[in-house]
Amino acid sequence: MYFNEAVSSSGADAALPLLYRGLVYAETGDWEKAEKDFLSAADAAGESSVKTVSLFSGNTAREGDALPTRSPLASACLSSVVPGLGQLYCGHWFDSLQAFVTVGVFALATYGVYLYESDNNGSYIYTGILGAVTLTLHSSNIFGAYKTAGYYNLKRKEELLNKIRKEIFTLPPLSSTFLP
């Protein structure tokens, strides 16, 4: 309720509350409302540092809807086909290489043990054990690819928010300029 009361005031008194409410919208990912509040704050601020920060924040929030993202589902599907491909899709080449080599080595070892057991005793106990380990590693790789895409998206959002926060937090706090 505080922001709504503060925003309903007129002129320069509404600029900072609008700016901070815009930041709240940006934090929740509602870039359209954030941009609207930032630009409204710029209109209300007159000629001041608040106007400069508001215009910068509004223009930066405009980039929010166009942030590059990676689909967690696509990343998981890619890694299920080729171990590590989902991580590569998200730009994590080292994790990709690590997953490919680890799952590949265990899959090759499983196949080797299968060939050995089929020629010798036919019990396939070690094949089953190694197969279970390989399946566990591959499943972990798929889950990791899914999470990596989420981290990629979060990092892009945080980078944009940090640009906005850096500008807004150079201004005086709301409590020192507006008391309800």
Side-chain angles (χ1 to χ4, degrees), residues 83 97-115 126-141:
L97 181 65
Q98 186 179 20
F100 183 77
V101 169
T102 302
V103 174
V105 165
F106 272 87
L108 190 60
T110 302
Y111 182 67
V113 168
Y114 166 77
L115 290 177
Y126 295 115
T127 301
I129 293 170
L130 262 178
V133 170
T134 303
L135 183 62
T136 302
L137 289 172
H138 190 55
S139 298
S140 298
N141 165 57

Side-chain angles (χ1 to χ4, degrees), residues 50-83:
V50 174
K51 180 173 186 154
T52 306
V53 169
S54 298
L55 287 173
F56 172 82
S57 299
N59 291 332
T60 305
R62 195 172 290 141
E63 301 170 20
D65 286 328
L67 282 174
T69 59
R70 297 292 183 261
S71 166
L73 183 61
S75 184
C77 288
L78 287 169
S79 273
S80 67
V81 174
V82 176

